[in-house]
Amino acid sequence: MKKRLIALLTALLVLSTLTVAFADHDKGNGKSQDHNKNRKGHEVVLGVDVLLDEQKQLIEGKRVGLITNPTGVDNDLNSIVDLLHNDPDVELTALYGPEHGVRGDAQAGQYVEYYIDEVTGLPVYSLYGKTRKPTPEMLENVDVLVFDIQDVGTRFYTYIYTMALAMEAAEEKGIPFIVLDRPNPLGGEKVEGPVLDPEFASFVGQYAIPLRHGMTVGELAKLFNAEFGIGADLTVVEMKKWKRKSYFDETGLPFVLPSPNMPTLETALAYPGTALIEGTNVSEGRGTTKPFELIGAPFINSTELAAELNALELPGVSFRAASFTPMFSKHSGKLSHGIQVHITDRDDYKPVETGLHIVKTIHDLYPEDVTLTNFFDNLIGNGWIRQGIENGMTVEEMKAEWEEELEAFKEVRETYLLY
């Protein structure tokens, strides 16, 4: 009797397992079934997920070239490289890496060479090496070019120009260009700072847009394509459930650092202003655990600087006297003194104005020691602000000077907003 009972229970267990297995198999067979089974109902649905679940006809049966980096993941953190490489309906033929490379292991400004990806065996072409624009040879085996990289919402972050140059190359070769859209981590409502003067165009500012543009990469692609004469055969695969007011930590998505010195959302929030320090001989915190939040140099008095900046009572931010020793980059191995930027209210915080106040205050306190370089002009997007700082112009006067062009850009921008 006992043996029969055990046998009966075993048979029921096997039957139950088979039933679940067949049910899962049947679910997986439907073409409309999401590839991402673990998605939570409240989170933003990324462009990559929409492509694979609803618009795969855009790449099915085609040789696909993919521009991406470690941020190119779906809602479950699966790499788009692996998703496309393992998809029997898609032929992934080439990978292209922006600054920092496909795997994100190169520091800022470090040139990345051509190599073969160890995981897929595919060629990886650098778009931050001898060329920043795909050559015709790089696109020989490509029918469609796909871009999937997380931006950080700031004009001088270079990935958006990798996208623009690749759009030019796709147009010249006569192949479609697809952008898989992602959230702007800073939200999509606020637009701040001077619009770039075309005379100061560079790879940290190629087009006449403001420092904080308030657009997604898909929206920027549409604007670049139409307003700056690229004319590519462009498709933007839009997200679902993204709201313009949302910061990245309100999307339900995990934050994957877009570059080695952009480790957190807090970094991205500070970046539109504090990255202006890169155009000086003061450390912007590279080589520390708080890049773009720690600012300092050996010649600065940290208590004095923090007091001067806090006396300005800038909205949404406080400054703490801090000392640090960068492990690399400016002042590497030297004890540096300055501040840590603490964002206390991100809705009130104005990063561009804050950054200019920091630069101006350091300049005014230590005029014999601080240097503003030509790179500062490339970052801010003009030459007159550096001259203004050196000649005693206030930040309020600077803002009044750039306001008219900023308002004109906002009107143009409205045409290209998708959400």
Side-chain angles (χ1 to χ4, degrees):
M1 186 71 172
K2 186 175 180 181
K3 288 181 179 179
R4 287 180 182 176
L5 182 59
I6 292 172
L8 179 61
L9 289 172
T10 301
L12 287 171
L13 181 61
V14 170
L15 182 61
S16 174
T17 302
L18 287 171
T19 301
V20 171
F22 279 120
D24 286 346
H25 177 73
D26 288 342
K27 287 178 184 176
N29 279 340
K31 268 204 166 181
S32 63
Q33 178 66 27
D34 286 355
H35 78 281
N36 190 327
K37 295 187 178 75
N38 298 320
R39 187 181 303 145
K40 298 169 186 173
H42 65 277
E43 68 190 21
V44 168
V45 182
L46 295 167
V48 58
D49 292 285
V50 175
L51 174 76
L52 294 175
D53 292 339
E54 301 176 23
Q55 298 184 34
K56 203 161 76 168
Q57 76 278 1
L58 293 171
I59 57 172
E60 275 182 318
K62 297 176 182 177
R63 296 173 299 173
V64 177
L66 175 64
I67 305 165
T68 194
N69 71 357
T71 65
V73 294
D74 68 1
N75 286 52
D76 274 345
L77 294 176
N78 298 305
S79 168
I80 186 174
V81 176
D82 298 332
L83 291 170
L84 296 187
H85 180 65
N86 296 326
D87 193 317
D89 299 323
V90 178
E91 185 183 358
L92 185 61
T93 56
L95 302 174
Y96 306 86
E99 183 179 6
H100 309 296
V102 167
R103 301 295 177 185
D105 52 0
Q107 281 294 341
Q110 181 179 336
Y111 290 114
V112 182
E113 298 302 324
Y114 166 88
Y115 62 96
I116 298 296
D117 181 58
E118 292 182 2
V119 178
T120 63
L122 293 171
V124 180
Y125 298 100
S126 172
L127 299 181
Y128 199 78
K130 293 179 181 178
T131 181
R132 291 177 177 173
K133 177 178 177 177
T135 64
E137 292 74 23
M138 291 180 182
L139 299 174
E140 274 184 357
N141 296 313
V142 173
D143 299 318
V144 58
L145 203 50
V146 176
F147 179 92
D148 188 24
I149 295 179
Q150 178 65 58
D151 183 43
V152 298
T154 302
R155 184 182 66 216
F156 39 62
Y157 208 58
T158 62
Y159 298 157
I160 57 176
Y161 308 116
T162 296
M163 176 181 72
L165 290 171
M167 288 167 61
E168 288 182 8
E171 190 279 329
E172 289 165 6
K173 189 171 187 292
I175 60 174
F177 193 91
I178 299 172
V179 176
L180 307 183
D181 214 1
R182 292 183 172 271
N184 183 325
L186 311 183
E189 292 184 336
K190 295 184 179 179
V191 183
E192 299 178 52
V195 173
L196 179 129
D197 178 345
E199 290 187 14
F200 291 84
S202 70
F203 201 58
V204 291
Q206 192 165 314
Y207 298 118
I209 62 174
L211 267 184
R212 182 178 181 177
H213 48 70
M215 301 177 78
T216 68
V217 286
E219 292 170 338
L220 282 172
K222 289 172 70 67
L223 184 144
F224 292 167
N225 203 42
E227 295 294 326
F228 301 107
I230 297 176
D233 179 4
L234 174 67
T235 299
V236 176
V237 179
E238 298 177 26
M239 298 175 283
K240 291 184 175 181
K241 301 183 181 179
W242 185 67
K243 296 180 174 62
R244 301 207 75 84
K245 65 180 181 180
S246 298
Y247 294 92
F248 197 90
D249 58 7
E250 297 171 319
T251 63
L253 299 169
F255 185 87
V256 178
L257 67 166
S259 56
N261 290 291
M262 192 64 61
T264 66
L265 174 59
E266 199 79 3
T267 317
L269 287 165
Y271 183 71
T274 55
L276 294 172
I277 294 292
E278 291 192 84
T280 74
N281 61 337
V282 175
S283 169
E284 66 279 1
R286 291 185 189 274
T288 77
T289 58
K290 293 286 185 181
F292 304 108
E293 296 176 63
L294 287 171
I295 309 294
F299 58 79
I300 289 176
N301 180 314
S302 56
T303 303
E304 179 182 42
L305 178 59
E308 288 287 330
L309 287 169
N310 283 322
L312 297 173
E313 298 185 344
L314 300 177
V317 64
S318 293
F319 305 93
R320 180 182 68 83
S323 296
F324 57 93
T325 303
M327 298 298 290
F328 58 85
S329 196
K330 283 183 277 185
H331 306 304
S332 175
K334 296 179 182 178
L335 181 62
S336 297
H337 312 285
I339 53 164
Q340 181 175 352
V341 177
H342 290 269
I343 299 169
T344 55
D345 187 329
R346 62 189 183 184
D347 291 326
D348 289 342
Y349 173 62
K350 297 176 180 178
V352 178
E353 292 175 42
T354 299
L356 285 172
H357 275 293
I358 294 171
V359 173
K360 178 175 168 53
T361 302
I362 293 173
H363 172 273
D364 292 350
L365 287 174
Y366 313 103
E368 301 300 318
D369 300 297
V370 73
T371 301
L372 274 65
T373 67
N374 290 335
F375 189 54
F376 180 86
D377 297 344
N378 293 129
L379 292 169
I380 198 65
N382 59 64
W384 63 266
I385 285 183
R386 174 161 61 112
Q387 293 176 0
I389 291 171
E390 293 170 344
N391 295 323
M393 191 177 191
T394 67
V395 174
E396 289 70 25
E397 288 171 333
M398 296 175 200
K399 183 182 176 185
E401 186 75 20
W402 77 55
E403 200 65 27
E404 184 177 345
E405 282 191 336
L406 180 62
E407 290 304 314
F409 171 80
K410 287 179 181 178
E411 290 185 19
V412 173
R413 169 182 174 271
E414 285 293 323
T415 305
Y416 302 99
L417 300 183
L418 299 171
Y419 310 92

